[in-house]
């Protein structure tokens, strides 16, 4: 029978459980999530499992990273199914604080990340987002004090922001990025894919096809600006409203005009119907 993970909802209970693990000299890995878990999250858990004796998964839909017009209220919440999946993945601890535990009455401190958080990608369309992510992830790091923390490359700018934040705050942990898990047709797994109608779902893999084709053309030596313009046109013709399609430096996220300035990461965000999708690939 699969063993249910220990589900903890208060900071003293979490600290007690982790103190026991530390006393037994166990390494601790944290996988921060907002729940509604899919194979992409489970790949993060497996990466954590390979690297640490004790795996903690946090499930917390973080209100501070949603703007008032975004989907905080309707964001999918499937706690029972999440726990079953985490039990099967042999997770040790699920850290599931309430909003009141994470942000108690009188909470008044926020991180304001700069640098990669102001690269002009997600931040241009979701200006509140990285402040909320950096604040909650810093709190999760302080609460769990992990040796490593695992994030998906699908949210590529987020991965860069939390890596920089951990470095800037001298937090003694290693951030591990894990490759995006995709459906057979290339669509990146995301909890928000549940919002897609059948017709939108059929159109959605176009984003990955355009990224792949653009990366191929850039590798062949074609002009980056022209490749990006052709990709943007294809995404528009495919029924999406494009937020951005950009070639950026893989580490600094600075704009790139030539392959010599690389390594290059291609990043895209586009809306289809009421769903906003993001994706990225290495060149
Ligand atoms: O990527 C996510 O699911 C969230 O942004 C994170 C890192 C769990 C912070 O709320």
């Amino acid at each position: 029978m699969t063993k249910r993970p220990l589900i903890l909802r208060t900071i003293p209970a979490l600290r007690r459980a982790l103190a026991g693990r530390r006393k037994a000299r166990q390494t601790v890995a944290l996988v921060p999530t907002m729940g509604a878990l899919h194979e992409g999250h489970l790949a993060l858990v497996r990466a954590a499992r390979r690297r640490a004796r004790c795996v903690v998964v946090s499930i917390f839909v973080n209100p501070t990273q949603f703007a008032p017009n975004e989907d905080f209220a309707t964001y999918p919440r499937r706690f029972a199914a999440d726990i079953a999946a985490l039990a099967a993945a042999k997770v040790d601890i699920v850290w599931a604080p309430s909003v009141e535990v994470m942000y108690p009455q009188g909470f008044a401190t926020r991180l304001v990340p700069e640098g990669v958080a102001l690269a002009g990608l997600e931040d241009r369309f979701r200006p509140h987002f990285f402040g909320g992510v950096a604040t909650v992830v810093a709190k999760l790091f302080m609460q769990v004090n992990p040796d490593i923390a695992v994030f998906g490359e699908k949210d590529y700018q987020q991965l860069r922001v939390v890596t920089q934040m951990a470095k800037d705050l001298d937090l003694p942990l290693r951030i591990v990025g894990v490759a995006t898990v995709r459906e057979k047709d290339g669509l990146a797994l995301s909890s928000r894919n549940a919002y897609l109608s059948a017709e939108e779902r059929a159109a959605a893999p176009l984003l990955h096809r355009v990224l792949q084709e653009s990366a191929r053309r850039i590798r062949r030596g074609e002009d980056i600006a022209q490749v990006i313009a052709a990709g943007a046109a294809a995404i528009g013709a495919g029924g999406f409203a494009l937020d951005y399609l950009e070639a950026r430096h893989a580490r600094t996220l600075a704009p790139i005009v030539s392959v010599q300035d690389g390594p290059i990461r291609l990043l895209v965000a586009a809306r289809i119907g009421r769903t906003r999708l993001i994706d990225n690939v290495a060149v």
Side-chain angles (χ1 to χ4, degrees), residues 55 62 73 75-76 81 83 100 113 120 124 133 164 179 181 187 191 213 234 237:
V55 175
N62 175 34
Y75 193 85
I83 296 302
E100 293 69 30
R124 198 146 51 93
V133 167
Q164 186 67 45
V181 179
L187 176 66
S191 307
E213 175 60 13

Side-chain angles (χ1 to χ4, degrees), residues 31-35 41 44 58-66 75 103 126 129-130 132-137 140 150-152 154-155 158-159 162 191-192:
V31 182
T33 82
M34 297 206 299
H41 295 110
L44 306 184
S58 61
I59 298 181
F60 179 66
V61 185
N62 175 34
T64 65
Q65 68 191 72
F66 291 79
Y75 193 85
Y103 299 114
R126 307 184 69 195
F129 180 66
F130 289 120
V133 167
T135 302
V136 82
V137 171
L140 290 167
V150 185
F151 292 83
K154 191 196 139 252
D155 295 279
Q158 168 175 279
L159 172 61
V162 297
S191 307
R192 289 192 170 100

